[in-house]
Each structure stands twice: as structure tokens, then as C-alpha cells.
Amino acid sequence: MNNYPKIGIRPIIDGRLGGIRESLEETTMNMARSVAELYSSQLKYPDGSPVQCIIADTCIGGVKEAAACADKFEANQVGVSLSVTPCWCYGSETMDMNPLTPKAIWGFNGTERPGAVYLAATLAAHNQKGLPAFGIYGSDVQDLGDAVIPADVSDRLLRFAKAGLAVAMMRGKSYLAIGSVSMGIVGSIVDPDFFQQYLGMRNEYVDSSEVLRRIEQEIYDREEFERAIEWTRNNCREGADLNREEKIKSREEKDKDWEFVVKMTLIIRDLMTGNDKLHEIGFSEEAHGHNAIVSGFQGQRQWTDFLPNGDFSEAILNSSFDWNGLRAPYMVATENDALNGVSMLFNYLLTNTAQIFADVRTFWSPEAVKRVAGWEPTGRAKDGFIHLINSGSATLDGSGRQQLDGKPAMKPFWAISEEEAAACLDATTWYPANRDYFRGGGYSSKFLTKGEMPVTMCRLNLVRGIGPVLQIAEGWAVDLPDEVHDTLDKRTDFTWPTTWFVPRLTGSGAFRDVYSVMANWGSNHGAISYGHIGPDLISMAAMLRIPVNMHNIGEADVFRPSAWASFGMDPEGSDYRACQVYGSLYK
């Protein structure tokens, strides 16, 4: 899983020898090197290693050198292509023609040589040939040879690269469905055409009984299980049993449930990515896994009606730590909601941080809060808020007990301290599952997300006649007074984790007010990421040809391929028209 795609950098040069090319060779190659340094210093892969760049062996002044560069990129697993130039060059002779690679051009804003002219001419060539590319051009004129990358250029370069790498990292991977459709939730009706045509992914399926088979036949690393169950007993605090007396399990039954859910966790991970230890104990086929970058567990109801639920497994796998210490989170969707699993994956690949899976459960108006809790919301919560809550499967990182610049945060695993991981565990209580919902028992996590974290909620939906569409809502987690939180929280499923969410309002459309955000959300689930990453999601969606039907991002932060401007002056309408014309990336 750590064989990541690389960013290919194409230094483009005026090919006229006899004084012009020679004068530009060093400047052009240095421009490519400076971008490579920016990327390797600012961007990391999901394992924490620096992003790698491949630069063409020579500057590209014509088609022969363009072809040699393409060969080098193919041999070195380049998944994202950036062309850079300080000068005029021959556009259609030097452009990147790979139809599957996200691509951009940075045309240097200078007066000595017309880099902007090459940028415009070659973007026109991309548009005419149906190969959309992003255009990057600084707002201020620079001197030829200036090695400084201006801030506005740097922002666009990084946004393009993050989005492009996310697209490239999905390609060739799998979505693993463990079980089938959960309680009629349409997002768990896995659509293989969407995965194949839009994401370049394949679909893998196993029946839920495979988890039970591996438990009963002990097809897991037994040494790791002993370590895992000890860690769980020492770090996962069990809460009071809130079930009716006749549904309370005995201590012996509860202890067996703990062992069962820990084994489930090992097995779901092994199903996703494989485990060489299984080969050593005689299960070579099972050792391979399914090359899954994301998975979903059906659970309800056929499983949970008689077996412990998946809440513990999903919560721990989605977190950045377990009995093996700090590590990258696994993306596991509750109720096999593949579309929310993909939404989590989008966020994760852009940020390298764990994701909260939640129901978009309840809109609380200021009037309703005052009536029920006797408190008039203030601050960010003054216009009301949305209760995000699901059955104990959200990442423990979502408790907000990590810190960045002294404020609550969710960070990549390599930036998390042992103390922060312990704080997330300490903030979580594991309640015996509500056996009205989960007849087989199990354990559900309970925590409260710390407020004032900037977060972005997104959701992918499939709409007949359109295809996939993406929703994006930037906002904040907010704090409520303790007594208000208790009053509101106890009106619903108390044993599940809570995030109080306020979207940023624009005063119009779906973001006219908080109620409108709730009313326009396309499904019952959302994927919540730390940080305001809406602009990155918009750029990535354009690469995948997925229109964005709802967002609260400022116009200046919307960055799409230059071709989108040819589809009309209305940004949302042009996005829909461009995606329809170009079709899915892997059609």
C-alpha cells in the first residue's frame, strides 16, 4: 500500500537553438526543481513520507523530448503531471497527452519572455483536444530567473497537487463490501460502474459470514489478539449498561463480547489489506487481503440481530492508533454506506487525517434549544446547529483531544503524540450496545467533540440522470454549555458520539441558514474532516468529472480546469455542463 504515485514535472522551453534555448535552459530547469522542492517539503503521503517528484531528464522543446518525458513518467509511476515554463514554447508539440493523468501548467508571469502566452496557447490546445488542464499564473510580474514561488502560485500548485495525488492514489485500489445492503440504505447498494468509471477502482465483496468463519476457525494473528485484548482492557473504559434489566448481559457474556469485537477488528483489517502472519499459520489465501483502500461493514441487521455490532471495530480502525501504536487510519464505512465511505476517502487522501462518520441527525433551531434547554444560543451557535451522531463508529480522533497551535485538532498520525492518543481514549466511554437496536450486543463509543475545530462535511450522492454529485459544507464544531449538551444529547441515543456542527452561512441558497443546510443534505450520512478543505474537494471533483451541487466556498477559492470557463459564466452551471461533456475520467 506504500507504492504511491509520484508527481511528474515537465520543464517546457522554447526549442529554437542558436541563442534562445541556450539562454533559458538553466532558468527553466531551476523552475522545475523549485516546484519539486515545494512539493517534497510541504506534502506527504499517507504513511508520512515526503511526496516524490520526477523531473524530465531534459527541458522539453518539442515532441521528441515530450515523448521521452512520457516514457520516463510511465516507468516511474507518475500519477500527476505539472508543466512549468518561463517562456513561449510550441504548445501542441510539448503538451502532456496522457488522458488519465490530472495535469496543470504554471506559466511564469514575467516580461522578458512570454510565459503567459504559452500558458494561454497550450490551455487552448488542451481544451480543443478534450484534455482539461488547470492553469496557474501569478498575479504579480516577476523578474526572469526569480527562484521565489509567489504565495498565490504556491497555493494553486499545492491545491492541484493534493487533488491530483488523491485521484491517482485511488486508481487501481478496491472498495471492499463486507456484507450487503444495510436496512435499505441506498448508499450501501454498491454501484460498481461508479467505482470503475469515476474512480478507477474495482469492487470486492465478502459475505459477513467470512468474519464469523475467521473467528470460529481462529484465522487471525493470535499473538496480536492477546496483545490487542490486553490493550483494550487497559485503555477502553466500559460504561454503565443502560439496557432494560431483562436485556443486560452477564459479566461473562460481556467479556466474551469484548474478545469477539477485538477479533472482528483484526479480521476486517486483514480482509482489507492482508496479513503475512496468516501465511505463517497456514492460511496463505486469506493472507492476501483485497487491496482495499476503503471498506464498509453491513452489520445491521442480519449480523447485529444475533452477534456483537461493528461499532468498536469501525471506531478503532478509523482512528489513528490502536494496540500497535500510532498508525494511519483505515477508512471503514458504517452500514456499508459505500458513498459515504468514498466521501471519507476523498477527505482522507486530501488531509492524511482520520475521518468522522456520522448521521446528519437533527437541526436544532435557537427557538427549539431555548424551549427544551432554557438557553439561547450565542456565538457561532446563535443561528442554530446540527447534531452529528452515529452508532459509536466515529474515529476517536474526532473527540478533538489532539492539539494544533494550542487548539483542538485532528492531525496526521505522525504528528500525534502518545499523550494525545491517550487523551482521545480517555475521552471515550464504551457503553454496552443498545440491545433494542443491536440484539447481539457489542460496545458503542461515546465522546463529545471539542468545539472550535474547523471542519468540512462532504457527501457523495448518485442521482439518476446526472450520476455522482458532491456536497460540501465548511463550518465548525461548537461547544454547548454542559447542561444544554446533556439535555439535548439525552433526547436521542446517549451511548453514541456527538459533534455539534455549525456550517458557515452565505445568506443564499442551501447556505441561507442552518436549516437549509440540513434540508438540502442529500442523504442520512456525512463524512467530516478536520480543516476547511472545500477548495481542495472542488478541484479534485473536477478532475474526476463529478459536479459539486452544494458548497459554501468563496468564488476566489474555486479552482477548476481552464476549460470550465468555456461552459458559461455561472460557475455551478458550467461545472455541470463540463462534467457532462467530458464524462467520467475512466470511461
Side-chain angles (χ1 to χ4, degrees):
M1 295 293 288
N2 61 356
N3 190 19
Y4 296 114
K6 302 174 180 65
I7 299 175
I9 302 178
R10 310 172 74 251
I12 310 296
I13 198 168
D14 189 326
R16 289 174 286 194
L17 288 167
I20 296 179
R21 176 163 182 160
E22 294 90 340
S23 69
L24 293 166
E25 288 278 5
E26 184 177 357
T27 296
T28 305
M29 189 58 77
N30 284 341
M31 193 174 173
R33 293 183 182 121
S34 68
V35 176
E37 172 60 27
L38 172 72
Y39 285 156
S40 62
S41 64
Q42 296 294 315
L43 301 178
K44 294 184 183 297
Y45 292 120
D47 67 354
S49 61
V51 161
Q52 297 181 43
C53 297
I54 301 294
I55 301 176
D57 290 334
T58 67
C59 292
I60 300 169
V63 67
K64 186 177 188 301
E65 289 162 323
C69 175
D71 290 342
K72 181 175 183 179
F73 283 6
E74 185 175 357
N76 286 276
Q77 201 176 346
V78 166
V80 183
S81 171
L82 173 71
S83 299
V84 300
T85 187
C87 59
W88 164 253
C89 318
Y90 302 161
S92 61
E93 295 181 16
T94 59
M95 63 189 287
D96 183 348
M97 297 285 287
N98 188 328
L100 301 182
T101 305
K103 48 186 63 65
I105 303 170
W106 174 24
F108 186 81
N109 185 356
T111 56
E112 292 91 337
R113 299 288 181 180
V117 179
Y118 174 80
L119 176 65
T122 311
L123 288 176
H126 277 282
N127 297 347
Q128 187 168 326
K129 292 175 178 294
L131 299 169
F134 290 74
I136 300 171
Y137 183 64
S139 59
D140 294 320
V141 172
Q142 293 180 263
D143 298 329
L144 187 66
D146 187 348
V148 174
I149 300 177
D152 60 337
V153 172
S154 176
D155 288 346
R156 290 291 175 96
L157 288 170
L158 290 170
R159 182 162 300 153
F160 164 74
K162 285 189 285 186
L165 284 170
V167 169
M169 281 189 278
M170 286 185 280
R171 185 180 177 189
K173 299 299 191 298
S174 304
Y175 177 87
L176 173 63
I178 303 173
S180 184
V181 181
S182 174
M183 301 184 297
I185 295 172
V186 72
S188 60
I189 302 175
V190 180
D191 185 331
D193 290 341
F194 161 71
F195 279 92
Q196 177 184 333
Q197 294 174 15
Y198 282 89
L199 308 182
M201 292 174 60
R202 71 170 68 221
N203 295 91
E204 292 284 291
Y205 311 86
V206 296
D207 191 84
S208 300
S209 62
E210 174 64 6
V211 178
L212 188 59
R213 180 183 79 91
R214 293 193 184 201
I215 289 175
E216 292 184 350
Q217 297 184 9
E218 296 189 321
I219 307 175
Y220 50 85
D221 183 342
R222 295 155 210 177
E223 291 182 3
E224 184 181 3
F225 167 71
E226 292 301 328
R227 186 170 69 253
I229 192 66
E230 182 180 3
W231 178 90
T232 301
R233 289 169 178 152
N234 292 335
N235 292 279
C236 297
R237 181 178 64 255
E238 184 177 320
D241 196 328
L242 304 181
N243 286 290
R244 297 193 304 277
E245 185 175 354
E246 66 272 18
K247 291 195 173 185
I248 293 177
K249 290 191 174 188
S250 69
R251 184 69 259 166
E252 182 181 2
E253 290 173 316
K254 289 178 180 178
D255 290 342
K256 288 182 179 178
D257 281 355
W258 274 119
E259 294 183 1
F260 192 96
V261 298
V262 169
K263 292 173 183 176
M264 280 179 65
T265 308
L266 298 174
I267 290 166
I268 292 172
R269 180 203 64 195
D270 291 351
L271 284 166
M272 289 181 67
T273 61
N275 188 343
D276 289 340
K277 288 287 186 180
L278 302 185
H279 174 75
E280 296 175 12
I281 60 174
F283 294 98
S284 296
E285 183 179 355
E286 290 85 347
H288 292 303
H290 291 267
N291 195 38
I293 195 171
V294 58
S295 71
F297 180 69
Q298 175 193 337
Q300 297 187 78
R301 284 189 44 205
Q302 288 77 14
W303 178 275
T304 56
D305 274 1
F306 79 111
L307 293 169
N309 65 16
D311 287 5
F312 176 84
S313 299
E314 294 165 10
I316 292 297
L317 288 169
N318 278 317
S319 299
S320 301
F321 44 83
D322 60 15
W323 42 86
N324 292 317
L326 294 162
R327 48 112 178 112
Y330 298 84
M331 297 296 106
V332 184
T334 300
E335 295 159 345
N336 196 30
D337 184 348
L339 296 181
N340 211 54
V342 168
S343 304
M344 294 168 68
L345 180 63
F346 286 174
N347 291 345
Y348 170 61
L349 292 177
L350 290 170
T351 65
N352 292 323
T353 58
Q355 300 298 309
I356 299 173
F357 183 112
D359 277 356
V360 185
R361 178 65 71 94
T362 308
F363 163 65
W364 278 99
S365 68
E367 295 77 13
V369 174
K370 188 171 183 179
R371 177 182 64 82
V372 171
W375 176 69
E376 187 169 344
T378 59
R380 293 197 196 277
K382 66 182 176 60
D383 297 315
F385 44 84
I386 296 172
H387 194 178
L388 303 177
I389 180 173
N390 195 262
S391 60
S393 59
T395 172
L396 272 58
D397 301 54
S399 61
R401 267 58 180 186
Q402 301 160 27
Q403 287 203 335
L404 194 60
D405 298 326
K407 298 178 181 178
M410 297 166 64
K411 300 187 292 189
F413 78 91
W414 59 83
I416 301 170
S417 69
E418 297 286 352
E419 293 75 17
E420 289 173 322
C424 292
L425 287 161
D426 289 343
T428 306
T429 301
W430 299 90
Y431 285 92
N434 180 341
R435 294 190 65 198
D436 290 337
Y437 282 123
F438 307 113
R439 298 173 184 174
Y443 293 93
S444 296
S445 62
K446 172 69 177 181
F447 61 74
L448 173 62
T449 301
K450 275 188 172 292
E452 293 307 305
M453 282 204 305
V455 295
T456 302
M457 182 167 72
C458 82
R459 168 73 194 194
L460 184 78
N461 298 295
L462 295 180
V463 180
R464 187 181 180 97
I466 300 176
V469 295
L470 185 66
Q471 300 176 286
I472 302 167
E474 290 188 344
W476 296 266
V478 296
D479 291 320
L480 305 183
D482 291 344
E483 64 277 10
V484 176
H485 162 74
D486 288 341
T487 299
L488 303 187
D489 199 37
K490 287 177 180 176
R491 289 174 65 94
T492 183
D493 300 287
F494 177 76
T495 62
W496 300 349
T498 278
T499 303
W500 303 109
F501 172 64
V502 171
R504 184 176 61 246
L505 302 179
T506 64
S508 63
F511 291 91
R512 180 176 59 255
D513 48 37
V514 180
Y515 171 83
S516 297
V517 176
M518 177 80 180
N520 283 280
W521 204 249
S523 189
N524 55 309
H525 292 148
I528 299 89
S529 181
Y530 176 76
H532 287 160
I533 62 168
D536 297 335
L537 283 165
I538 286 176
S539 295
M540 185 198 66
M543 293 176 183
L544 296 169
R545 319 294 191 252
I546 297 173
V548 178
N549 70 303
M550 172 179 165
H551 73 80
N552 58 349
I553 311 306
E555 185 176 348
D557 289 323
V558 175
F559 185 37
R560 292 182 170 120
S562 68
W564 267 236
S566 299
F567 289 87
M569 293 178 65
D570 167 42
E572 184 175 274
S574 65
D575 185 31
Y576 270 80
R577 289 186 286 274
C579 290
Q580 181 181 32
V581 166
Y582 289 116
S584 59
L585 182 58
Y586 303 102
K587 57 182 180 292

